[in-house]
Amino acid sequence: MTSVNETPPAVAVPKVGFISLGCPKALVDSERILTQLRAEGYEVAPSYEDAQAVIVNTCGFITPAVEESLSAIGEALDATGKVIVTGCLGERPEKILERHPKVAAITGSEAVDDVMGHVRELLPIETDTFTGLLPVAAPGMRNGSLDDLLAPSVKLTPRHYAYVKIAEGCNHTCAFCIIPKLRGRQVSRDAGSVLYEAYRLIAGGTKEIMIISQDTSAYGVDVRYRESEFQGGQVRAHLTDLAEKLGEMGAWVRMHYVYPYPHVERIVELMAQGKILPYLDVPLQHASPRILKLMRRPGGGKQLDTIRRWREICPELVIRSTFIVGFPGETEEDFQELLTFLEEARLDRVGAFPYSDVEEADAKALPGAVPEEIKQERLARFMEVAQRISTEKLAEKVGCVMDVIIDEFNDDEGDEPGTRLIGRTKGDAPGIDGQVYLYAGELAGQIKVGDVVRARIEDSDEYDLYGEVVARPEWRPNVPQLGHFGRH
């Protein structure tokens, strides 16, 4: 027995490795698991050499993502021998076991409690008399209700921006997608829960909140837009109410995965008023009404009218979208309709992918498969048009002064630290859109990662802007800041 004057023996702390694959929605799931690991006393290993077990949060959306996930699982198994698989691919355990029968455990998506249960079995934490009576932190969910989901305190993004997931699952039945089969039908969080999470993040120094879900426009439909408490008042679980409240906090608020429902016009009005960023990520997928019908996507034939209405409301609106080329049954005429739409819509940010079969997706059974060489040829033609439009639209920014959030330093050898910077405008989301390369000028050494500066744009190319910092305004959100963060 240890006397009161003796130092208690050190307790070995198990170390868990973590691999996070897939989209920002999966990244939020990873943050929740890491938060719980930290809360229960585990350390996160920085490398395989330090890890006693590894958690792999997988993606199972398309065939290349499945292969990437299976490869990561195999690599982790070879390195440690103990692997817990979670995430979308975990909803298809037979696929994992076929390739890797020696994984320790498999769970599906949104399974914080299950993952932690397996971690405790593989790597039980020794307790001592000083800590053994401390309560274990609450699990990722209480009573299985998503509206009670604890906001993650461990972030996998830089401090100055964060993803906030407002719903899980999806009610659509798109022919190319199996997300509803993997993650279930939509389950929305209460607005109060989302707002308190955003409030805490902004209070801790986060300057950009990115709202994500499978279908952000449908937020609250499943709970009939029920009200919940936020700072003594009641807020509906409806996207317009949520956006308005988020906009009052004074941070950058960016909307992702927005379907073109009628009430999105109200969101665009909030953008025109400067309450949230004039940016919409709208996954349109195609423009041919016939292909959209085969895809079981909404909006066939009305997309261009909708975009025009949005731009009338908010002329500075930046629209990003993604498209699929070579979908089963796509003819040259259908593809030409897509190119014509692209020319007329002049979308600001565009991504495209050749169609890829997904196991269990209905599109796999459709006739009229497009040969791979034609898919690639169409993809190249599509991106040539998209790149030209992007080049023209970015050239219009030359000479403008724009707000830019700084993501990293880009100093050359011999530069004074902080001389060259890389950031993003309000029209650029991290990781998927363009960047702004800046010279700090007289403010070299005074600007930090996460600062919002004003910059004069002096040049542009196909995807990026170039310029010089002209001012560093004070950052003043409408949320009290925790601690001391200087001028910003």
Side-chain angles (χ1 to χ4, degrees):
M1 184 173 177
T2 304
S3 72
V4 292
N5 294 320
E6 292 178 349
T7 302
V11 177
V13 178
K15 294 183 178 180
V16 182
F18 204 100
I19 299 171
S20 183
L21 304 172
C23 64
K25 296 177 285 292
L27 187 75
V28 173
D29 295 343
S30 294
E31 290 176 338
R32 288 167 179 157
I33 295 170
L34 288 167
T35 295
Q36 195 63 23
L37 284 169
R38 185 79 58 83
E40 295 193 20
Y42 292 91
E43 289 188 14
V44 178
S47 65
Y48 285 132
E49 290 74 19
D50 298 317
Q52 295 162 269
V54 176
I55 299 169
V56 182
N57 189 6
T58 59
C59 180
F61 181 46
I62 57 176
T63 299
V66 171
E67 286 302 316
E68 181 186 19
S69 294
L70 291 172
S71 176
I73 293 167
E75 185 179 283
L77 271 173
D78 292 343
T80 67
K82 294 181 179 179
V83 174
I84 298 167
V85 180
T86 188
C88 285
L89 190 57
E91 300 286 350
R92 298 293 180 265
E94 68 282 355
K95 272 189 172 295
I96 298 165
L97 293 173
E98 180 182 353
R99 182 87 65 90
H100 302 297
K102 293 185 179 180
V103 294
I106 301 173
T107 76
S109 56
E110 283 289 311
V112 177
D113 295 344
D114 290 341
V115 170
M116 291 308 304
H118 292 305
V119 171
R120 293 182 208 112
E121 289 177 10
L122 283 178
L123 302 175
I125 287 186
E126 298 177 35
T127 58
D128 59 34
T129 54
F130 289 85
T131 62
L133 296 179
L134 292 175
V136 174
M141 277 188 185
R142 298 195 294 268
N143 302 322
S145 175
L146 193 62
D147 61 285
D148 279 334
L149 196 59
L150 296 179
S153 59
V154 173
K155 288 177 73 228
L156 295 176
T157 55
R159 173 176 146 187
H160 62 283
Y161 67 80
Y163 296 99
V164 174
K165 192 193 295 188
I166 63 174
E168 185 56 78
C170 184
N171 293 340
H172 292 288
T173 58
C174 301
F176 54 82
C177 181
I178 59 170
I179 291 297
K181 296 178 182 178
L182 297 177
R183 291 183 172 259
R185 290 180 63 78
Q186 178 168 295
V187 182
S188 299
R189 296 173 62 187
D190 277 335
S193 173
V194 175
L195 291 168
Y196 275 121
E197 180 181 349
Y199 191 94
R200 176 184 63 79
L201 286 164
I202 297 168
T206 299
K207 296 180 180 177
E208 179 178 8
I209 300 292
M210 284 168 284
I211 299 300
I212 58 172
S213 67
Q214 297 299 145
D215 178 1
T216 297
S217 301
Y219 169 64
V221 169
D222 54 294
V223 295
R224 298 184 180 181
Y225 309 120
R226 70 183 172 212
E227 293 185 338
S228 57
E229 185 275 335
F230 177 65
Q231 295 187 330
Q234 295 293 307
V235 184
R236 285 194 312 159
H238 191 286
L239 188 60
T240 55
D241 299 54
L242 184 71
E244 192 150 13
K245 284 293 182 184
L246 287 167
E248 292 173 0
M249 296 185 190
W252 285 17
V253 177
R254 191 181 302 278
M255 295 285 174
H256 286 272
Y257 314 111
V258 177
Y259 280 64
Y261 297 169
H263 66 265
V264 174
E265 284 194 16
R266 174 58 185 145
I267 302 299
V268 178
E269 289 172 6
L270 294 175
M271 296 174 181
Q273 296 165 14
K275 300 216 174 149
I276 63 175
L277 295 185
Y279 178 100
L280 278 179
D281 177 3
V282 189
L284 296 173
Q285 307 301 0
H286 213 281
S288 161
R290 193 180 73 84
I291 295 300
L292 287 169
K293 185 175 181 180
L294 287 173
M295 289 179 168
R296 297 204 291 265
R297 297 285 294 181
K302 301 177 182 177
Q303 294 171 332
L304 201 55
D305 290 340
T306 299
I307 289 168
R308 285 169 176 158
R309 283 199 304 274
W310 289 346
R311 284 181 170 153
E312 286 172 2
I313 297 168
C314 182
E316 65 269 32
L317 176 64
V318 170
I319 301 174
R320 120 166 296 276
S321 192
T322 51
F323 296 87
I324 297 172
V325 299
F327 189 79
E330 183 189 68
T331 64
E332 179 62 24
E333 183 181 356
D334 294 318
F335 181 67
Q336 285 296 332
E337 280 193 74
L338 177 56
L339 292 184
T340 299
F341 169 81
L342 199 58
E343 295 275 12
E344 294 181 351
R346 294 184 63 79
L347 302 177
D348 303 85
R349 312 282 186 261
V350 173
F353 307 91
Y355 170 78
S356 173
D357 275 334
V358 177
E359 291 292 333
E360 298 185 51
D362 294 344
K364 191 175 181 183
L366 290 174
V370 178
E372 189 61 34
E373 61 271 20
I374 294 179
K375 289 182 192 175
Q376 295 301 326
E377 185 265 344
R378 288 178 181 171
L379 177 64
R381 288 161 61 196
F382 179 96
M383 292 310 299
E384 183 180 353
V385 173
Q387 188 179 77
R388 173 172 51 77
I389 293 169
S390 177
T391 301
E392 292 168 356
K393 298 205 77 166
L394 289 177
E396 296 171 0
K397 309 294 183 187
V398 175
C400 297
V401 174
M402 307 180 74
D403 287 344
V404 177
I405 192 165
I406 303 302
D407 287 330
E408 57 183 303
F409 296 125
N410 190 38
D411 294 321
D412 290 332
E413 187 175 347
D415 280 338
E416 179 185 347
T419 296
R420 301 180 191 278
L421 314 163
I422 302 177
R424 291 173 291 108
T425 71
K426 293 179 179 180
D428 299 297
I432 55 174
D433 295 327
Q435 295 177 304
V436 186
Y437 294 83
L438 294 176
Y439 176 65
E442 296 179 358
L443 291 170
Q446 302 177 45
I447 299 168
K448 302 180 181 67
V449 169
D451 279 357
V452 175
V453 301
R454 293 211 174 98
R456 181 180 297 106
I457 305 303
E458 299 171 341
D459 200 1
S460 66
D461 58 22
E462 298 94 333
Y463 299 115
D464 301 316
L465 297 171
Y466 304 83
E468 181 173 353
V469 177
V470 296
R472 180 175 174 249
E474 187 172 358
W475 174 258
R476 287 186 177 177
N478 298 323
V479 171
Q481 299 289 277
L482 301 175
H484 178 68
F485 300 107
R487 291 181 65 252
H488 59 113

